[in-house]
């Protein structure tokens, strides 16, 4: 598809894997001109994901260009599995933030991309998961003239990008004292940290994934993180991201041995700890790995001038200790009039699933509370 739009803009759909790969330079230029973009919208991440996880014939990347070929908007989409016509984002479950790209300097990019998406979807629903508040996709959603729905998606936890001493001010003084004791223990052990270079990334990622499996051994590691396709995706994506400043791999050494490693993804506005691994020897020595990683992340992120240190998706208790802000991702659904019934059906099913999940969490909470009450001695004051 290729159609003319306002301001001399032209829209097209990229369906070819090789053509998507050749978009790297122009995509990277557009990415730099989209202030809300996260590392998950970089070409290195998306193209590598497609190579590992994509399906032949499913690619539907919507592009808007100027007459000179320069990209001013892009929506990385694919046809979803299943019998119903649905277009969804590239990146899948291993991607924390989904978005489109819009050139900040081109006001016509928003209506042009909205129109191109409407033509690309036709009788399909566009279903964008994990859209961060303030994302470029919200501007397209606001410009959409057809049926649309906004639903809640995953919760993310975020901290301000400030040094560790400032983060300690966010928590009660007694807890802050315990954290300082943990930090002194880290320093006494002599654990040093080193950010690896681009050429060192492949070997460092192998060590990270090995440590990640060791860390979760016997405790239910995420299966996808142990797969070959995930390892291959990281190997392809992370080195160019490190070389251009969109990622950082840090290794932590004790007596010369790598005992922990961390992969952080970065954009001009935020840094997010994506994956880490730690040798069980640290747990045996009472090392608080989460505190070690947070200190490093806080120092690096605040020094770089970024505003946000994101813990990405998930509200695990260890993250809550720091009193972070809860930031809900969104799910944006768009369609034309023809596909409106499918949109309402899909949105209703999503609402029902979230309701059932919420009820299950509430039942589990009540069960734990009743168990604690039954376990108290008679006449206890709680």
């Amino acid at each position: 598809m290729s159609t003319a739009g306002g301001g001399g803009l032209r829209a097209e759909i990229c369906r070819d894997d090789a053509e998507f790969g050749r978009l790297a330079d122009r995509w990277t230029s557009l990415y730099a001109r989209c202030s809300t973009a996260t590392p998950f919208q970089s070409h290195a991440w998306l193209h590598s994901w497609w190579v590992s996880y994509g399906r032949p014939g499913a690619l539907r990347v919507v592009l808007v260009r100027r007459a000179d070929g320069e990209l001013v908007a892009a929506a990385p989409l694919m046809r979803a599995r299943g019998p119903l016509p649905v277009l969804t984002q590239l990146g899948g479950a291993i991607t924390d933030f989904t978005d489109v790209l819009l050139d900040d300097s081109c006001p016509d990019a928003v209506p042009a991309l909205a129109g191109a998406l409407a033509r690309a979807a036709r009788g399909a629903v566009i279903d964008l998961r994990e859209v961060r508040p303030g994302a470029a996709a919200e501007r397209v959603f606001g410009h959409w003239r057809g049926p649309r729905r906004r639903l809640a998606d995953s919760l993310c936890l975020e901290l301000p990008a400030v040094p560790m001493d400032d983060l300690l001010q966010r928590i009660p003084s007694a807890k802050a004292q315990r954290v300082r004791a943990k930090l002194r223990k880290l320093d006494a052990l002599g654990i040093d940290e080193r950010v690896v270079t681009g050429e060192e990334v492949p070997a460092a990622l192998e060590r990270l994934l090995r440590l990640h499996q060791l860390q979760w051994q016997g405790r239910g590691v995420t299966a996808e993180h142990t797969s070959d396709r995930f390892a291959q995706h990281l190997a392809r994506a992370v080195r160019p991201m490190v070389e251009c400043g969109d990622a950082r791999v840090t290794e932590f050494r004790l007596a010369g041995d790598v005992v922990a490693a961390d992969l952080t993804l970065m954009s001009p506005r935020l840094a997010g700890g994506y994956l880490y691994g730690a040798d069980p020897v640290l747990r045996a020595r009472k090392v608080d790995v989460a505190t070690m990683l947070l200190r490093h992340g806080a120092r690096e992120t605040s020094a770089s001038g970024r505003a946000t240190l994101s813990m990405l998706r998930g509200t695990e208790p260890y993250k809550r200790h720091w009193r972070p802000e809860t930031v809900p991702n969104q799910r944006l659904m768009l369609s034309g009039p023809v596909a409106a019934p499918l949109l309402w059906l899909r949105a209703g099913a999503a609402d029902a699933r979230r309701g059932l999940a919420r009820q299950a969490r509430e039942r589990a909470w009540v069960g734990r509370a009743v168990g604690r009450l039954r376990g108290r001695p008679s006449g206890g004051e709680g």
Side-chain angles (χ1 to χ4, degrees), residues 263-294:
L263 168 61
T264 294
L265 304 184
M266 302 180 295
S267 69
R269 293 189 176 187
L270 64 81
Y274 181 73
L275 189 72
Y276 75 92
D279 194 309
V281 70
L282 293 179
R283 191 163 61 245
R285 299 187 70 163
K286 308 299 183 184
V287 170
D288 189 326
V289 174
T291 297
M292 179 180 73
L293 296 175
L294 183 63

Side-chain angles (χ1 to χ4, degrees), residues 3 39 80 86 98 117 128 183 199 213 216 274 312 337 340 352 372 377:
T3 59
V86 175
T98 288
L117 288 171
L128 301 179
L183 294 173
E199 64 182 11
Q213 291 187 45
W216 290 100
Y274 181 73
L312 302 182
R372 287 194 295 269

Side-chain angles (χ1 to χ4, degrees), residues 144-149 333-340 343-344:
W144 195 259
R145 298 295 174 259
R148 60 184 185 170
R149 278 291 305 274
M333 293 187 184
L334 311 166
S335 80
V338 173
L343 185 149
W344 307 131

Side-chain angles (χ1 to χ4, degrees), residues 15-348:
R15 301 168 182 254
D16 180 73
D17 299 12
E19 182 185 350
F20 185 30
R22 290 192 293 270
L23 286 172
D25 289 345
R26 291 191 184 274
W27 191 286
T28 300
S29 176
L30 171 60
Y31 172 79
R33 287 178 275 119
C34 182
S35 59
T36 58
T38 76
F40 298 107
Q41 282 75 62
S42 69
H43 187 272
W45 182 269
L46 290 169
H47 182 258
S48 176
W49 182 90
W50 178 255
V51 172
S52 281
Y53 295 89
R55 305 187 328 277
L59 191 64
R60 301 287 188 276
V61 180
V62 180
L63 306 169
V64 178
R65 299 179 186 268
R66 292 195 181 97
D68 61 2
E70 192 72 20
L71 289 175
V72 296
L77 303 176
M78 65 178 184
R79 181 169 49 79
R81 292 184 184 275
L84 299 178
V86 175
L87 296 178
T88 190
Q89 75 284 345
L90 303 188
I94 65 169
T95 293
D96 290 70
F97 300 132
T98 288
D99 203 0
V100 301
L101 293 177
L102 293 169
D103 186 336
D104 294 335
S105 66
C106 181
D108 290 333
V110 178
L113 183 59
L117 288 171
R119 291 186 293 272
R122 293 181 181 156
V125 170
I126 298 173
D127 188 354
L128 301 179
R129 301 291 307 270
E130 309 298 355
V131 176
R132 176 179 165 80
E138 286 189 331
R139 296 165 62 192
V140 175
F141 185 85
H143 201 277
W144 195 259
R145 298 295 174 259
R148 60 184 185 170
R149 278 291 305 274
R150 187 195 303 262
L151 306 174
D153 220 329
S154 301
L155 297 179
C156 301
L157 298 179
E158 297 184 351
L159 290 166
V162 295
M164 191 67 173
D165 285 344
D166 293 334
L167 291 180
L168 288 170
Q169 300 300 317
R170 302 172 63 88
I171 61 179
S173 58
K175 184 177 289 185
Q177 288 300 322
R178 291 194 293 272
V179 172
R180 290 188 178 95
K182 293 175 181 179
L183 294 173
R184 287 194 295 271
K185 181 178 180 64
L186 285 170
D187 294 335
L189 283 173
I191 296 177
D192 62 76
E193 54 197 54
R194 177 175 172 274
V195 176
V196 307
T197 64
E199 64 182 11
E200 296 171 317
V201 163
L205 287 176
E206 288 183 11
R207 288 190 289 270
L208 188 157
L209 290 171
R210 185 168 62 252
L211 288 168
H212 185 73
Q213 291 187 45
L214 279 174
Q215 169 193 344
W216 290 100
Q217 198 167 44
R219 297 191 294 151
V221 66
T222 301
E224 187 56 37
H225 291 167
T226 67
S227 70
D228 288 340
R229 65 180 180 177
F230 181 72
Q232 291 163 6
H233 161 60
L234 290 185
R236 275 190 306 270
V238 173
R239 178 170 180 172
M241 293 175 75
V242 164
E243 291 174 340
C244 70
D246 290 336
R248 181 180 64 235
V249 179
T250 306
E251 292 190 327
F252 300 80
R253 295 176 182 266
L254 178 61
D257 296 325
V258 177
V259 291
D262 170 74
L263 168 61
T264 294
L265 304 184
M266 302 180 295
S267 69
R269 293 189 176 187
L270 64 81
Y274 181 73
L275 189 72
Y276 75 92
D279 194 309
V281 70
L282 293 179
R283 191 163 61 245
R285 299 187 70 163
K286 308 299 183 184
V287 170
D288 189 326
V289 174
T291 297
M292 179 180 73
L293 296 175
L294 183 63
R295 178 171 67 171
H296 174 75
R299 182 171 59 246
E300 294 290 326
T301 305
S302 60
S304 68
R306 293 177 172 86
T308 301
L309 178 58
S310 176
M311 300 179 182
L312 302 182
R313 289 179 297 175
T315 57
E316 296 86 347
Y318 77 90
K319 298 179 182 179
R320 291 285 189 188
H321 292 166
W322 299 94
R323 296 187 173 179
E325 179 185 358
T326 300
V327 180
N329 281 350
Q330 309 160 85
R331 183 173 184 176
L332 305 182
M333 293 187 184
L334 311 166
S335 80
V338 173
L342 175 57
L343 185 149
W344 307 131
L345 177 65
R346 192 171 179 88

